[in-house]
């Protein structure tokens, strides 16, 4: 043991002194925190869990001591009654808020569906319009080709007739 006490302890490498930087605003503070995290990227970053949503205590299923703030109650009973009443009001407010929140969510979902249906209808209408234009272009192109083919045929017939007339003239 004495030998162990006399042996020098292994020295740890000293940390480099960091300059003292005082953040002037929130972005500086966030930048400093990120720099500190990035000095050692292997170390896990602390991510706090999301706080649980507050819910009131559930209503008692069976109340044994039914009391009120009426005359004849003891001096301490009123405070107990007051706390029960406050707790019940809190519970009712919470339920009202939750139903309002649920109603807003349903309205939002309904509105999203309506918007999606309207967008699909607009898209279908525009698609139909594009298809009509495409069909018109195809029909126009086909008509033009038919005219070109028919005029080419007529020209070739005329050319053939003129040739035959020329040939007929030469035969005579």
């Amino acid at each position: 043991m004495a030998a162990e006490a006399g042996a020098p302890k292994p020295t740890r490498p000293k940390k480099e002194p960091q300059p003292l930087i005082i953040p002037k605003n929130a972005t500086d503070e966030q930048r400093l925190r990120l720099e500190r995290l990035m000095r050692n990227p292997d170390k896990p970053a602390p991510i706090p869990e999301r706080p649980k949503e507050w819910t009131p205590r559930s209503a008692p299923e069976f109340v044994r001591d039914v009391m009120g703030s009426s005359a004849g109650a003891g001096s301490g009973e009123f405070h107990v009654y007051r706390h029960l009443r406050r707790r019940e009001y809190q519970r009712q407010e919470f339920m009202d808020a939750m139903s309002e929140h649920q109603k807003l969510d349903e309205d939002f979902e309904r509105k999203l569906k309506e918007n999606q249906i309207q967008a699909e209808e607009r898209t279908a209408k525009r698609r139909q319009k594009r298809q009509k234009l495409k069909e018109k272009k195809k029909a126009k192109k086909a008509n033009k080709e038919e005219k070109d083919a028919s005029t080419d045929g007529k020209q070739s017939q005329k050319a053939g007739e003129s040739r035959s007339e020329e040939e007929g003239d030469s035969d005579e």
Side-chain angles (χ1 to χ4, degrees), residues 90-113:
Q90 261 187 342
R91 192 178 70 81
Q92 288 176 357
E93 279 182 33
F94 178 77
M95 288 186 344
D96 290 343
M98 289 302 292
S99 66
E100 181 68 24
H101 185 71
Q102 192 173 15
K103 182 184 171 200
L104 289 173
D105 282 348
E106 289 172 359
D107 289 346
F108 177 73
E109 291 292 327
R110 182 182 49 79
K111 188 73 172 170
L112 274 181
K113 285 181 183 178

Side-chain angles (χ1 to χ4, degrees), residues 71-148:
S75 61
E77 300 299 318
F78 174 72
H79 300 292
V80 174
Y81 164 76
R82 191 181 66 191
H83 290 300
L84 285 172
R85 186 183 62 184
R86 182 183 52 81
R87 206 174 293 135
E88 180 63 18
Y89 286 157
Q90 261 187 342
R91 192 178 70 81
Q92 288 176 357
E93 279 182 33
F94 178 77
M95 288 186 344
D96 290 343
M98 289 302 292
S99 66
E100 181 68 24
H101 185 71
Q102 192 173 15
K103 182 184 171 200
L104 289 173
D105 282 348
E106 289 172 359
D107 289 346
F108 177 73
E109 291 292 327
R110 182 182 49 79
K111 188 73 172 170
L112 274 181
K113 285 181 183 178
E114 286 177 7
N115 288 346
Q116 189 175 10
I117 289 170
Q118 287 175 354
E120 287 173 2
E121 288 173 357
R122 283 193 306 266
T123 304
K125 191 175 181 181
R126 290 177 182 167
R127 183 184 309 120
Q128 192 176 13
K129 196 173 184 180
R130 285 193 305 270
Q131 289 291 77
K132 278 185 178 180
L133 288 173
K134 221 179 212 184
E135 293 296 323
K136 280 185 180 180
K137 281 185 180 179
K138 282 184 180 180
K140 193 174 185 181
K141 190 174 182 181
N143 286 340
K144 187 176 182 182
E145 287 177 0
E146 285 178 18
K147 281 185 179 180
D148 289 345

Side-chain angles (χ1 to χ4, degrees), residues 154-171:
K154 288 180 182 178
Q155 287 177 358
S156 62
Q157 284 179 355
K158 287 181 181 179
E161 288 174 10
S162 62
R163 282 191 205 141
S164 62
E165 288 176 5
E166 290 174 7
E167 289 174 6
D169 292 338
S170 62
D171 287 340

Side-chain angles (χ1 to χ4, degrees), residues 34 64 85 159:
L34 281 174
R64 295 184 195 282
R85 186 183 62 184

